């Protein structure tokens, strides 16, 4: 299987959306007619991905304790500068303002689903909506650290238009 074919196939199968496992398998087999090691690996990765329990950090930036992070002032401008576009693992640069932005950037880089934002962020419950479709709404119980009505990534498939980030696609093994 040529790499160009895989690149084309990766984007056409997903269109960067979360899809059911059966669609994933059928699409790959219909294009090749057999399973090579790469295809089997992708199927295995995608199955494991779908089984991952949902966490708040898959949708929005949070700290190591699961607390929601507020976007630092002027973050978008700071992030747009060429020297700030690469996510680093440096913990402390000595500049408190820059460190706060780097910390937020690292948390933001872990997000698996595109475009979710807070519609409500209360003491014990947070409600997220997709910025591209306000009918996609998720409620998160902060005390129990669980989503109401959704257990794992696979349960989100019913929402249809949930888009994967580059990080999620890389985790699965797809080309971006």
């Amino acid at each position: 299987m040529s790499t160009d074919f895989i690149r084309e196939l990766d984007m056409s199968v997903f269109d960067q959306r979360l899809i059911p496992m059966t669609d994933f398998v059928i699409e790959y087999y219909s294009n090749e007619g057999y399973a090579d090691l790469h295809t089997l690996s992708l199927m295995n990765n995608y199955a494991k991905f779908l089984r991952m329990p949902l966490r708040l950090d898959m949708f929005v930036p949070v700290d190591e304790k699961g607390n929601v992070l507020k976007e630092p002032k002027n973050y978008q401008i700071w992030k747009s500068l060429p020297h700030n576009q690469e996510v680093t693992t440096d913990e402390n640069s000595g500049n408190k303002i820059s460190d706060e932005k780097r910390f937020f950037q690292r948390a933001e880089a872990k997000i698996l689903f595109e475009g979710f934002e807070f519609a409500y962020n209360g003491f014990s419950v947070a409600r997220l909506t997709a910025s591209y479709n306000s009918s996609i709404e998720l409620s998160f119980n902060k005390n129990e650290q669980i989503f109401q009505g959704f257990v794992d990534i696979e349960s989100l498939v019913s929402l249809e238009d949930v888009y994967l980030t580059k990080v999620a696609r890389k985790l699965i093994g797809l080309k971006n």
Side-chain angles (χ1 to χ4, degrees):
M1 183 185 296
S2 78
T3 327
D4 293 334
F5 174 74
I6 292 170
R7 190 171 297 115
E8 289 172 25
L9 184 58
D10 287 348
M11 296 314 289
S12 68
V13 170
F14 276 93
D15 192 27
Q16 300 180 2
R17 287 181 301 125
L18 186 65
I19 62 171
M21 185 66 187
T22 51
D23 292 352
F24 183 86
V25 171
I26 290 167
E27 184 68 25
Y28 268 89
Y29 275 116
S30 68
N31 283 296
E32 265 309 295
Y34 67 95
D36 62 6
L37 290 177
H38 175 75
T39 304
L40 291 173
S41 176
L42 283 174
M43 288 179 196
N44 185 43
N45 291 348
Y46 193 58
K48 287 178 181 177
F49 177 78
L50 290 175
R51 295 292 160 95
M52 290 173 66
L54 284 180
R55 298 183 319 268
L56 191 57
D57 67 343
M58 294 176 170
F59 298 89
V60 294
V62 300
D63 66 15
E64 58 279 341
K65 294 179 183 174
N67 300 313
V68 176
L69 296 174
K70 185 176 177 183
E71 184 174 295
K73 187 176 180 181
N74 299 322
Y75 175 72
Q76 293 301 323
I77 295 168
W78 176 88
K79 188 170 100 169
S80 70
L81 299 172
H83 64 279
N84 292 330
Q85 291 181 359
E86 185 176 327
V87 179
T88 65
T89 57
D90 297 340
E91 288 298 319
N92 192 345
S93 69
N95 180 335
K96 185 177 179 180
I97 294 170
S98 181
D99 287 346
E100 175 189 20
K101 290 178 173 133
R102 289 262 179 234
F103 185 76
F104 186 85
Q105 183 184 43
R106 283 192 296 276
E108 188 180 53
K110 296 176 184 174
I111 294 173
L112 300 180
F113 303 104
E114 293 281 355
F116 281 85
E117 53 194 28
F118 286 101
Y120 172 77
N121 188 11
F123 180 73
S124 61
V125 175
R127 195 171 71 242
L128 303 172
T129 57
S131 59
Y132 50 85
N133 183 345
S134 60
S135 70
I136 296 176
E137 188 175 290
L138 303 169
S139 290
F140 182 76
N141 182 319
K142 292 179 178 181
N143 296 328
E144 296 179 29
Q145 295 289 302
I146 59 170
F147 281 90
Q148 297 170 353
F150 299 95
V151 179
D152 55 18
I153 292 174
E154 190 168 26
S155 62
L156 295 175
V157 171
S158 65
L159 299 175
E160 293 186 29
D161 286 332
V162 175
Y163 294 94
L164 303 175
T165 63
K166 287 182 179 182
V167 173
R169 293 189 305 272
K170 183 177 179 182
L171 185 64
I172 296 164
L174 296 169
K175 309 286 186 219
N176 285 317

